Short mmCIF file of all heavy atoms in Angstrom, two decimals:
data_model
loop_
_atom_site.label_atom_id
_atom_site.label_comp_id
_atom_site.label_asym_id
_atom_site.label_seq_id
_atom_site.Cartn_x
_atom_site.Cartn_y
_atom_site.Cartn_z
N MET A 643 106.13 15.19 152.71
CA MET A 643 104.84 15.88 152.22
C MET A 643 104.56 15.52 150.88
O MET A 643 105.39 15.74 149.99
CB MET A 643 104.87 17.37 152.61
CG MET A 643 103.69 18.14 152.24
SD MET A 643 103.74 19.85 152.55
CE MET A 643 102.61 19.91 153.95
N ASP A 644 103.36 15.11 150.49
CA ASP A 644 102.96 14.78 149.22
C ASP A 644 102.49 16.12 148.58
O ASP A 644 101.76 16.85 149.10
CB ASP A 644 101.75 13.83 149.31
CG ASP A 644 101.35 13.30 147.87
OD1 ASP A 644 102.02 13.67 146.84
OD2 ASP A 644 100.44 12.48 147.84
N SER A 645 103.11 16.34 147.32
CA SER A 645 102.74 17.54 146.67
C SER A 645 101.61 17.37 145.54
O SER A 645 101.34 18.23 144.82
CB SER A 645 104.06 18.10 145.90
OG SER A 645 104.42 17.13 144.97
N THR A 646 101.03 16.19 145.56
CA THR A 646 100.00 15.98 144.80
C THR A 646 98.67 16.61 145.14
O THR A 646 98.34 16.59 146.32
CB THR A 646 99.64 14.42 144.58
OG1 THR A 646 100.80 13.74 144.27
CG2 THR A 646 98.56 14.17 143.64
N MET A 647 98.04 17.35 144.26
CA MET A 647 96.79 17.99 144.40
C MET A 647 95.66 17.39 143.74
O MET A 647 95.77 17.19 142.54
CB MET A 647 96.80 19.45 144.17
CG MET A 647 95.54 20.15 144.65
SD MET A 647 95.52 21.86 144.09
CE MET A 647 97.01 22.55 144.53
N LEU A 648 94.49 17.08 144.36
CA LEU A 648 93.45 16.57 143.78
C LEU A 648 92.39 17.78 143.45
O LEU A 648 92.08 18.63 144.27
CB LEU A 648 92.69 15.57 144.64
CG LEU A 648 91.36 14.97 144.17
CD1 LEU A 648 91.66 14.04 142.92
CD2 LEU A 648 90.71 14.11 145.29
N CYS A 649 91.97 17.61 142.20
CA CYS A 649 91.06 18.76 141.81
C CYS A 649 89.67 18.07 141.50
O CYS A 649 89.64 17.00 140.80
CB CYS A 649 91.50 19.48 140.55
SG CYS A 649 90.49 20.81 139.92
N VAL A 650 88.62 18.67 142.19
CA VAL A 650 87.28 17.98 141.95
C VAL A 650 86.32 19.06 141.27
O VAL A 650 86.32 20.21 141.85
CB VAL A 650 86.66 17.53 143.26
CG1 VAL A 650 85.25 16.95 143.04
CG2 VAL A 650 87.64 16.46 143.85
N ALA A 651 85.63 18.85 140.31
CA ALA A 651 84.52 19.73 139.74
C ALA A 651 83.31 19.21 140.09
O ALA A 651 82.89 18.04 139.98
CB ALA A 651 84.74 19.74 138.23
N LEU A 652 82.42 20.08 140.63
CA LEU A 652 81.07 19.81 140.98
C LEU A 652 80.10 20.29 139.91
O LEU A 652 80.07 21.48 139.56
CB LEU A 652 80.58 20.50 142.39
CG LEU A 652 81.46 20.23 143.55
CD1 LEU A 652 81.06 20.97 144.74
CD2 LEU A 652 81.16 18.71 143.77
N THR A 653 79.34 19.33 139.34
CA THR A 653 78.32 19.66 138.24
C THR A 653 77.07 19.02 138.62
O THR A 653 77.01 18.10 139.33
CB THR A 653 78.89 19.37 136.98
OG1 THR A 653 78.86 17.84 136.88
CG2 THR A 653 80.25 19.84 136.50
N GLY A 654 76.04 19.66 138.01
CA GLY A 654 74.67 19.01 138.24
C GLY A 654 73.66 20.04 138.08
O GLY A 654 73.90 21.26 138.01
N GLY A 655 72.46 19.56 137.99
CA GLY A 655 71.30 20.58 137.72
C GLY A 655 70.85 21.20 138.99
O GLY A 655 71.58 21.04 140.09
N ILE A 656 69.96 22.10 138.81
CA ILE A 656 69.38 22.83 140.08
C ILE A 656 68.84 21.76 141.03
O ILE A 656 68.20 21.02 140.75
CB ILE A 656 68.23 23.80 139.49
CG1 ILE A 656 68.78 24.82 138.55
CG2 ILE A 656 67.51 24.42 140.61
CD1 ILE A 656 67.72 25.62 137.87
N GLY A 657 69.21 22.14 142.28
CA GLY A 657 68.77 21.20 143.36
C GLY A 657 69.51 19.97 143.54
O GLY A 657 69.06 19.03 144.26
N SER A 658 70.66 19.75 142.86
CA SER A 658 71.26 18.41 142.83
C SER A 658 72.26 18.41 143.97
O SER A 658 72.81 17.24 144.26
CB SER A 658 72.07 18.19 141.55
OG SER A 658 72.95 19.19 141.33
N GLY A 659 72.51 19.46 144.81
CA GLY A 659 73.33 19.36 145.93
C GLY A 659 74.81 20.06 145.80
O GLY A 659 75.62 19.82 146.63
N LYS A 660 74.96 20.64 144.71
CA LYS A 660 76.36 21.35 144.42
C LYS A 660 76.83 22.27 145.70
O LYS A 660 77.74 22.17 146.10
CB LYS A 660 76.39 21.98 143.11
CG LYS A 660 76.06 21.21 142.05
CD LYS A 660 76.19 22.02 140.66
CE LYS A 660 75.09 23.14 140.64
NZ LYS A 660 73.75 22.80 140.54
N THR A 661 75.82 22.99 145.98
CA THR A 661 76.15 24.06 147.13
C THR A 661 76.32 23.32 148.38
O THR A 661 77.24 23.69 149.15
CB THR A 661 75.03 25.03 147.20
OG1 THR A 661 74.87 25.84 145.94
CG2 THR A 661 75.29 26.12 148.41
N THR A 662 75.67 22.37 148.70
CA THR A 662 75.76 21.59 149.95
C THR A 662 77.15 20.83 150.02
O THR A 662 77.73 21.06 151.01
CB THR A 662 74.65 20.48 150.05
OG1 THR A 662 73.41 21.11 149.96
CG2 THR A 662 74.93 19.60 151.21
N VAL A 663 77.63 20.34 148.91
CA VAL A 663 78.89 19.71 148.86
C VAL A 663 79.98 20.76 148.88
O VAL A 663 80.96 20.59 149.73
CB VAL A 663 79.05 18.89 147.56
CG1 VAL A 663 80.45 18.34 147.39
CG2 VAL A 663 78.07 17.67 147.67
N ALA A 664 79.80 21.93 148.32
CA ALA A 664 80.80 22.94 148.20
C ALA A 664 80.88 23.54 149.69
O ALA A 664 81.99 23.68 150.20
CB ALA A 664 80.44 24.02 147.27
N ASN A 665 79.84 23.74 150.41
CA ASN A 665 79.85 24.15 151.69
C ASN A 665 80.50 23.18 152.66
O ASN A 665 81.24 23.55 153.56
CB ASN A 665 78.38 24.42 152.18
CG ASN A 665 77.85 25.69 151.57
OD1 ASN A 665 78.54 26.49 151.04
ND2 ASN A 665 76.47 25.76 151.62
N PHE A 666 80.33 21.88 152.47
CA PHE A 666 80.97 20.88 153.13
C PHE A 666 82.52 20.98 152.98
O PHE A 666 83.18 20.89 154.02
CB PHE A 666 80.46 19.50 152.81
CG PHE A 666 80.97 18.34 153.57
CD1 PHE A 666 80.77 18.09 154.93
CD2 PHE A 666 81.99 17.43 152.78
CE1 PHE A 666 81.41 16.95 155.46
CE2 PHE A 666 82.71 16.51 153.47
CZ PHE A 666 82.36 16.18 154.79
N PHE A 667 82.99 21.08 151.77
CA PHE A 667 84.38 21.22 151.52
C PHE A 667 84.92 22.35 152.18
O PHE A 667 85.95 22.29 152.85
CB PHE A 667 84.58 21.35 149.97
CG PHE A 667 84.37 20.06 149.22
CD1 PHE A 667 84.40 20.14 147.79
CD2 PHE A 667 84.49 18.84 149.75
CE1 PHE A 667 84.35 18.81 147.01
CE2 PHE A 667 84.39 17.53 149.13
CZ PHE A 667 84.31 17.63 147.71
N ALA A 668 84.15 23.50 152.15
CA ALA A 668 84.62 24.75 152.82
C ALA A 668 84.71 24.49 154.30
O ALA A 668 85.79 25.04 154.85
CB ALA A 668 83.75 25.88 152.42
N LYS A 669 83.92 23.88 154.94
CA LYS A 669 83.94 23.68 156.34
C LYS A 669 85.24 22.86 156.56
O LYS A 669 85.77 22.85 157.74
CB LYS A 669 82.80 22.87 156.85
CG LYS A 669 81.58 23.86 157.02
CD LYS A 669 80.32 23.11 157.42
CE LYS A 669 79.28 24.06 157.47
NZ LYS A 669 77.94 23.37 157.91
N LEU A 670 85.69 22.01 155.75
CA LEU A 670 86.88 21.20 155.84
C LEU A 670 88.15 21.95 155.39
O LEU A 670 89.21 21.39 155.38
CB LEU A 670 86.75 19.84 155.14
CG LEU A 670 85.64 18.94 155.56
CD1 LEU A 670 85.63 17.72 154.60
CD2 LEU A 670 86.03 18.43 156.92
N ASP A 671 87.99 23.25 155.21
CA ASP A 671 89.15 24.04 154.91
C ASP A 671 89.70 23.72 153.50
O ASP A 671 90.79 23.90 153.14
CB ASP A 671 90.27 24.17 155.86
CG ASP A 671 89.81 24.92 157.06
OD1 ASP A 671 89.02 25.88 157.02
OD2 ASP A 671 90.36 24.67 158.09
N ILE A 672 88.78 23.14 152.60
CA ILE A 672 89.17 22.87 151.23
C ILE A 672 88.81 24.08 150.36
O ILE A 672 87.82 24.53 150.45
CB ILE A 672 88.48 21.56 150.75
CG1 ILE A 672 88.85 20.32 151.59
CG2 ILE A 672 88.65 21.31 149.31
CD1 ILE A 672 88.07 19.12 151.44
N ALA A 673 89.76 24.45 149.56
CA ALA A 673 89.52 25.68 148.74
C ALA A 673 88.41 25.30 147.77
O ALA A 673 88.34 24.28 147.06
CB ALA A 673 90.77 25.98 147.89
N VAL A 674 87.45 26.34 147.53
CA VAL A 674 86.34 26.21 146.74
C VAL A 674 86.33 27.32 145.68
O VAL A 674 86.40 28.49 146.17
CB VAL A 674 85.05 26.10 147.49
CG1 VAL A 674 83.77 25.99 146.53
CG2 VAL A 674 85.01 24.85 148.41
N ILE A 675 86.29 27.12 144.47
CA ILE A 675 86.14 28.19 143.42
C ILE A 675 84.72 28.13 142.83
O ILE A 675 84.48 27.03 142.23
CB ILE A 675 87.36 28.08 142.36
CG1 ILE A 675 88.59 28.19 143.14
CG2 ILE A 675 87.10 29.12 141.40
CD1 ILE A 675 89.85 27.85 142.12
N ASP A 676 83.98 29.02 143.03
CA ASP A 676 82.59 29.04 142.57
C ASP A 676 82.43 29.79 141.26
O ASP A 676 82.49 31.07 141.40
CB ASP A 676 81.62 29.53 143.63
CG ASP A 676 80.22 29.34 143.34
OD1 ASP A 676 79.76 29.36 142.15
OD2 ASP A 676 79.44 29.25 144.29
N ALA A 677 82.28 29.09 140.12
CA ALA A 677 82.15 29.91 138.88
C ALA A 677 81.05 30.86 138.87
O ALA A 677 81.06 31.79 138.15
CB ALA A 677 82.05 28.87 137.79
N ASP A 678 79.93 30.48 139.48
CA ASP A 678 78.72 31.41 139.50
C ASP A 678 79.12 32.67 140.20
O ASP A 678 78.69 33.76 139.69
CB ASP A 678 77.56 30.77 140.16
CG ASP A 678 76.98 29.63 139.44
OD1 ASP A 678 77.12 29.52 138.21
OD2 ASP A 678 76.27 28.72 140.15
N VAL A 679 79.85 32.65 141.22
CA VAL A 679 80.30 33.88 141.83
C VAL A 679 81.26 34.69 140.97
O VAL A 679 80.96 35.91 140.86
CB VAL A 679 81.00 33.57 143.17
CG1 VAL A 679 81.62 34.85 143.91
CG2 VAL A 679 80.01 32.90 144.16
N ILE A 680 82.09 34.04 140.36
CA ILE A 680 83.03 34.74 139.53
C ILE A 680 82.39 35.29 138.35
O ILE A 680 82.62 36.42 137.88
CB ILE A 680 84.14 33.66 138.91
CG1 ILE A 680 85.02 33.27 140.23
CG2 ILE A 680 85.00 34.30 137.90
CD1 ILE A 680 85.89 32.09 139.78
N ALA A 681 81.35 34.60 137.70
CA ALA A 681 80.59 35.10 136.57
C ALA A 681 79.81 36.25 136.97
O ALA A 681 79.71 37.23 136.26
CB ALA A 681 79.68 34.09 136.11
N ARG A 682 79.27 36.41 138.11
CA ARG A 682 78.46 37.56 138.61
C ARG A 682 79.51 38.86 138.78
O ARG A 682 79.12 39.91 138.58
CB ARG A 682 77.76 37.31 139.87
CG ARG A 682 76.51 36.44 139.61
CD ARG A 682 75.52 36.48 140.74
NE ARG A 682 74.42 35.76 140.42
CZ ARG A 682 73.32 36.21 139.73
NH1 ARG A 682 73.32 37.47 139.40
NH2 ARG A 682 72.22 35.54 139.41
N GLU A 683 80.65 38.38 139.36
CA GLU A 683 81.64 39.59 139.57
C GLU A 683 82.16 40.14 138.25
O GLU A 683 82.22 41.41 138.15
CB GLU A 683 82.87 39.01 140.38
CG GLU A 683 82.58 38.76 141.70
CD GLU A 683 83.84 38.15 142.51
OE1 GLU A 683 84.82 37.97 141.92
OE2 GLU A 683 83.60 37.90 143.76
N VAL A 684 82.37 39.44 137.15
CA VAL A 684 82.94 39.92 136.01
C VAL A 684 81.81 40.53 135.07
O VAL A 684 82.15 40.99 134.04
CB VAL A 684 83.75 38.88 135.20
CG1 VAL A 684 84.96 38.36 135.97
CG2 VAL A 684 82.87 37.70 134.72
N THR A 685 80.51 40.41 135.51
CA THR A 685 79.54 41.01 134.74
C THR A 685 78.82 42.14 135.41
O THR A 685 77.70 42.44 135.07
CB THR A 685 78.47 39.89 134.15
OG1 THR A 685 77.96 39.20 135.31
CG2 THR A 685 79.20 38.95 133.19
N GLN A 686 79.30 42.56 136.49
CA GLN A 686 78.82 43.76 137.28
C GLN A 686 78.80 44.96 136.32
O GLN A 686 79.65 45.11 135.48
CB GLN A 686 79.58 44.08 138.48
CG GLN A 686 79.41 42.91 139.53
CD GLN A 686 78.07 42.85 140.14
OE1 GLN A 686 77.44 43.92 140.44
NE2 GLN A 686 77.36 41.76 140.09
N PRO A 687 77.76 45.75 136.55
CA PRO A 687 77.89 47.11 135.65
C PRO A 687 79.21 47.88 135.63
O PRO A 687 79.85 47.85 136.72
CB PRO A 687 76.83 47.98 136.29
CG PRO A 687 75.81 46.92 136.99
CD PRO A 687 76.67 45.85 137.43
N HIS A 688 79.43 48.33 134.51
CA HIS A 688 80.74 48.98 134.30
C HIS A 688 81.96 48.20 134.09
O HIS A 688 83.12 48.75 134.01
CB HIS A 688 80.87 50.05 135.13
CG HIS A 688 79.61 51.00 135.28
ND1 HIS A 688 79.08 51.73 134.35
CD2 HIS A 688 78.71 51.18 136.36
CE1 HIS A 688 78.00 52.36 134.63
NE2 HIS A 688 77.76 51.96 135.96
N THR A 689 81.86 46.87 134.20
CA THR A 689 83.03 46.01 134.00
C THR A 689 83.27 45.70 132.49
O THR A 689 82.26 45.92 131.72
CB THR A 689 82.95 44.57 134.69
OG1 THR A 689 81.84 43.90 134.24
CG2 THR A 689 82.70 44.89 136.28
N GLN A 690 84.34 45.33 132.05
CA GLN A 690 84.51 44.84 130.65
C GLN A 690 83.47 43.72 130.17
O GLN A 690 83.09 43.78 129.08
CB GLN A 690 85.96 44.36 130.46
CG GLN A 690 86.94 45.45 130.53
CD GLN A 690 88.31 45.07 130.25
OE1 GLN A 690 88.67 43.83 130.37
NE2 GLN A 690 89.29 45.89 129.91
N GLY A 691 83.31 42.73 131.14
CA GLY A 691 82.32 41.77 130.74
C GLY A 691 81.00 42.22 130.47
O GLY A 691 80.33 41.94 129.47
N TYR A 692 80.58 43.10 131.40
CA TYR A 692 79.23 43.84 131.33
C TYR A 692 79.09 44.57 129.94
O TYR A 692 78.11 44.34 129.16
CB TYR A 692 78.94 44.80 132.46
CG TYR A 692 77.82 45.57 132.49
CD1 TYR A 692 76.51 45.12 133.04
CD2 TYR A 692 77.87 46.83 131.82
CE1 TYR A 692 75.52 46.00 132.99
CE2 TYR A 692 76.82 47.66 131.93
CZ TYR A 692 75.60 47.23 132.43
OH TYR A 692 74.53 48.01 132.45
N GLN A 693 80.05 45.36 129.67
CA GLN A 693 80.10 46.16 128.56
C GLN A 693 80.07 45.24 127.19
O GLN A 693 79.46 45.59 126.26
CB GLN A 693 81.32 47.12 128.50
CG GLN A 693 81.17 48.18 129.61
CD GLN A 693 82.44 49.10 129.76
OE1 GLN A 693 83.56 48.62 129.27
NE2 GLN A 693 82.29 50.03 130.69
N ALA A 694 80.81 44.18 127.19
CA ALA A 694 80.82 43.34 126.06
C ALA A 694 79.43 42.73 125.83
O ALA A 694 79.04 42.53 124.76
CB ALA A 694 81.81 42.28 126.20
N ILE A 695 78.78 42.24 126.89
CA ILE A 695 77.46 41.62 126.78
C ILE A 695 76.44 42.62 126.23
O ILE A 695 75.67 42.45 125.40
CB ILE A 695 76.91 41.09 128.08
CG1 ILE A 695 77.87 39.84 128.45
CG2 ILE A 695 75.53 40.66 128.13
CD1 ILE A 695 77.68 39.41 129.98
N VAL A 696 76.46 43.91 126.85
CA VAL A 696 75.60 44.97 126.26
C VAL A 696 75.84 45.32 124.91
O VAL A 696 74.98 45.47 124.16
CB VAL A 696 75.64 46.21 127.19
CG1 VAL A 696 74.91 47.29 126.58
CG2 VAL A 696 75.16 45.90 128.66
N LYS A 697 77.11 45.41 124.45
CA LYS A 697 77.53 45.76 123.15
C LYS A 697 76.91 44.63 122.17
O LYS A 697 76.44 44.88 121.09
CB LYS A 697 78.99 45.72 123.02
CG LYS A 697 79.49 46.16 121.51
CD LYS A 697 81.00 46.28 121.51
CE LYS A 697 81.39 46.67 120.09
NZ LYS A 697 82.90 46.81 120.03
N HIS A 698 76.93 43.41 122.60
CA HIS A 698 76.68 42.26 121.76
C HIS A 698 75.03 42.18 121.65
O HIS A 698 74.40 41.94 120.51
CB HIS A 698 77.19 40.93 122.21
CG HIS A 698 76.87 39.77 121.40
ND1 HIS A 698 77.53 39.53 120.20
CD2 HIS A 698 75.82 38.82 121.55
CE1 HIS A 698 76.82 38.45 119.67
NE2 HIS A 698 75.90 37.96 120.57
N PHE A 699 74.41 42.23 122.76
CA PHE A 699 72.96 42.01 122.87
C PHE A 699 72.12 43.32 122.83
O PHE A 699 70.89 43.34 122.49
CB PHE A 699 72.55 41.23 124.04
CG PHE A 699 72.98 39.80 124.08
CD1 PHE A 699 74.18 39.36 124.80
CD2 PHE A 699 72.40 38.85 123.30
CE1 PHE A 699 74.63 38.25 124.71
CE2 PHE A 699 72.83 37.56 123.25
CZ PHE A 699 73.93 37.16 124.08
N GLY A 700 72.73 44.43 123.07
CA GLY A 700 71.97 45.67 123.08
C GLY A 700 71.46 45.97 124.50
O GLY A 700 71.47 45.11 125.36
N GLU A 701 70.90 47.25 124.56
CA GLU A 701 70.46 47.65 125.98
C GLU A 701 69.13 46.96 126.33
O GLU A 701 68.78 47.17 127.46
CB GLU A 701 70.31 49.13 126.01
CG GLU A 701 71.78 49.80 126.00
CD GLU A 701 71.75 51.27 126.35
OE1 GLU A 701 70.66 51.77 126.65
OE2 GLU A 701 72.72 51.89 126.13
N THR A 702 68.48 46.30 125.38
CA THR A 702 67.18 45.61 125.74
C THR A 702 67.48 44.41 126.68
O THR A 702 66.61 43.79 127.20
CB THR A 702 66.64 45.03 124.45
OG1 THR A 702 67.34 44.20 123.83
CG2 THR A 702 66.13 46.22 123.54
N ILE A 703 68.74 44.01 126.97
CA ILE A 703 69.11 43.07 127.88
C ILE A 703 69.32 43.40 129.30
O ILE A 703 69.65 42.64 130.15
CB ILE A 703 70.40 42.24 127.33
CG1 ILE A 703 70.52 40.96 127.86
CG2 ILE A 703 71.69 43.12 127.70
CD1 ILE A 703 69.47 39.98 127.33
N LEU A 704 69.08 44.77 129.49
CA LEU A 704 69.17 45.43 130.80
C LEU A 704 67.84 45.55 131.52
O LEU A 704 66.86 45.86 130.90
CB LEU A 704 69.90 46.79 130.60
CG LEU A 704 71.26 46.91 130.06
CD1 LEU A 704 71.77 48.13 129.86
CD2 LEU A 704 72.17 45.96 130.84
N LEU A 705 67.87 45.47 132.83
CA LEU A 705 66.88 45.79 133.66
C LEU A 705 66.72 47.25 133.97
O LEU A 705 67.67 47.92 133.67
CB LEU A 705 67.04 45.08 135.04
CG LEU A 705 66.93 43.61 135.00
CD1 LEU A 705 67.32 42.91 136.35
CD2 LEU A 705 65.59 43.04 134.68
N PRO A 706 65.69 47.86 134.35
CA PRO A 706 65.56 49.22 134.74
C PRO A 706 66.66 49.79 135.54
O PRO A 706 67.19 50.87 135.47
CB PRO A 706 64.20 49.51 135.36
CG PRO A 706 63.40 48.37 134.81
CD PRO A 706 64.43 47.16 134.59
N SER A 707 67.21 48.91 136.47
CA SER A 707 68.30 49.20 137.32
C SER A 707 69.68 49.26 136.68
O SER A 707 70.81 49.53 137.25
CB SER A 707 68.43 48.18 138.46
OG SER A 707 68.67 46.85 138.05
N ALA A 708 69.80 48.93 135.34
CA ALA A 708 70.91 48.79 134.59
C ALA A 708 71.72 47.46 134.79
O ALA A 708 72.79 47.28 134.30
CB ALA A 708 71.94 50.03 134.73
N GLU A 709 71.21 46.67 135.65
CA GLU A 709 71.82 45.32 135.74
C GLU A 709 71.41 44.43 134.64
O GLU A 709 70.36 44.67 133.84
CB GLU A 709 71.31 44.59 137.04
CG GLU A 709 71.82 45.32 138.40
CD GLU A 709 71.24 44.60 139.56
OE1 GLU A 709 70.24 44.95 139.95
OE2 GLU A 709 71.93 43.66 140.04
N LEU A 710 72.19 43.36 134.24
CA LEU A 710 71.82 42.46 133.31
C LEU A 710 70.60 41.70 133.66
O LEU A 710 70.42 41.35 134.74
CB LEU A 710 72.99 41.41 133.04
CG LEU A 710 74.25 42.09 132.54
CD1 LEU A 710 75.24 40.88 132.50
CD2 LEU A 710 74.06 42.59 131.17
N ASP A 711 69.65 41.55 132.67
CA ASP A 711 68.49 40.68 132.89
C ASP A 711 68.87 39.28 132.50
O ASP A 711 68.87 38.81 131.34
CB ASP A 711 67.38 41.22 131.94
CG ASP A 711 66.10 40.45 132.25
OD1 ASP A 711 66.07 39.26 132.65
OD2 ASP A 711 65.01 41.10 131.69
N ARG A 712 69.31 38.58 133.57
CA ARG A 712 69.86 37.19 133.42
C ARG A 712 68.83 36.23 132.91
O ARG A 712 69.20 35.30 132.15
CB ARG A 712 70.39 36.74 134.76
CG ARG A 712 71.70 37.64 135.12
CD ARG A 712 72.19 37.22 136.36
NE ARG A 712 73.27 38.15 136.78
CZ ARG A 712 74.57 38.12 136.27
NH1 ARG A 712 75.02 37.27 135.44
NH2 ARG A 712 75.38 38.96 136.79
N ARG A 713 67.61 36.50 133.21
CA ARG A 713 66.50 35.66 132.64
C ARG A 713 66.39 35.70 131.24
O ARG A 713 66.36 34.81 130.41
CB ARG A 713 65.10 35.91 133.39
CG ARG A 713 64.07 35.14 132.76
CD ARG A 713 62.74 35.47 133.57
NE ARG A 713 62.79 34.94 134.85
CZ ARG A 713 61.99 35.14 135.80
NH1 ARG A 713 61.05 35.88 135.68
NH2 ARG A 713 62.22 34.44 137.01
N LYS A 714 66.45 36.99 130.69
CA LYS A 714 66.52 37.10 129.17
C LYS A 714 67.76 36.52 128.54
O LYS A 714 67.77 35.93 127.44
CB LYS A 714 66.56 38.71 128.91
CG LYS A 714 65.16 39.33 128.73
CD LYS A 714 65.31 40.66 128.26
CE LYS A 714 63.98 41.39 128.09
NZ LYS A 714 64.20 42.83 127.74
N LEU A 715 68.90 36.72 129.18
CA LEU A 715 70.13 36.08 128.68
C LEU A 715 70.00 34.60 128.61
O LEU A 715 70.47 33.98 127.62
CB LEU A 715 71.34 36.45 129.60
CG LEU A 715 71.88 37.76 129.37
CD1 LEU A 715 72.85 38.21 130.42
CD2 LEU A 715 72.37 37.99 127.95
N ARG A 716 69.42 33.95 129.56
CA ARG A 716 69.30 32.46 129.57
C ARG A 716 68.36 32.01 128.47
O ARG A 716 68.71 31.07 127.88
CB ARG A 716 68.60 32.03 130.95
CG ARG A 716 69.57 31.81 131.99
CD ARG A 716 69.07 31.20 133.26
NE ARG A 716 67.90 31.79 133.86
CZ ARG A 716 68.16 32.71 134.83
NH1 ARG A 716 69.38 33.06 135.23
NH2 ARG A 716 67.11 33.37 135.30
N GLN A 717 67.22 32.87 128.24
CA GLN A 717 66.41 32.59 127.04
C GLN A 717 66.98 32.66 125.70
O GLN A 717 66.86 31.76 124.79
CB GLN A 717 65.16 33.55 127.14
CG GLN A 717 64.24 33.13 128.31
CD GLN A 717 63.22 34.22 128.46
OE1 GLN A 717 63.21 35.33 127.79
NE2 GLN A 717 62.20 33.88 129.29
N LEU A 718 67.98 33.58 125.56
CA LEU A 718 68.65 33.83 124.30
C LEU A 718 69.77 32.71 124.16
O LEU A 718 70.09 32.37 123.11
CB LEU A 718 69.48 35.19 124.37
CG LEU A 718 68.47 36.39 124.29
CD1 LEU A 718 69.32 37.68 124.36
CD2 LEU A 718 67.75 36.38 122.88
#
């Protein structure tokens, strides 16, 4: 058994097919780590990431629901 592991990073702009390729890999039982999913998990309300962002940018970066206003963050 070969112990060599190939690691592939998918990058590209919006609509470039990253999700399509990641879904194809997943169907082949290839492990997929989605940085977008991880980023959303670590910035959920009341997490350390969320608190650090609010501390840095202030509460004006929040939506009325107390979620991060990701559009405002992108603009900043």
Side-chain angles (χ1 to χ4, degrees):
M643 178 179 257
D644 186 1
S645 64
T646 303
M647 183 188 313
L648 177 64
C649 181
V650 177
L652 298 174
T653 65
I656 295 171
S658 63
K660 298 180 300 291
T661 300
T662 300
V663 173
N665 290 341
F666 178 73
F667 284 166
K669 285 180 183 177
L670 295 174
D671 290 327
I672 297 171
V674 175
I675 301 170
D676 189 328
D678 289 337
V679 171
I680 295 168
R682 286 198 176 272
E683 287 176 1
V684 300
T685 58
Q686 289 297 307
H688 311 297
T689 62
Q690 288 180 341
Y692 172 91
Q693 291 169 354
I695 292 169
V696 173
K697 182 178 179 181
H698 182 80
F699 291 104
E701 291 191 8
T702 60
I703 203 67
L704 299 176
L705 295 168
S707 63
E709 292 179 272
L710 294 174
D711 187 334
R712 295 179 187 281
R713 180 174 287 168
K714 273 188 185 177
L715 282 171
R716 280 191 295 274
Q717 291 172 345
L718 292 173

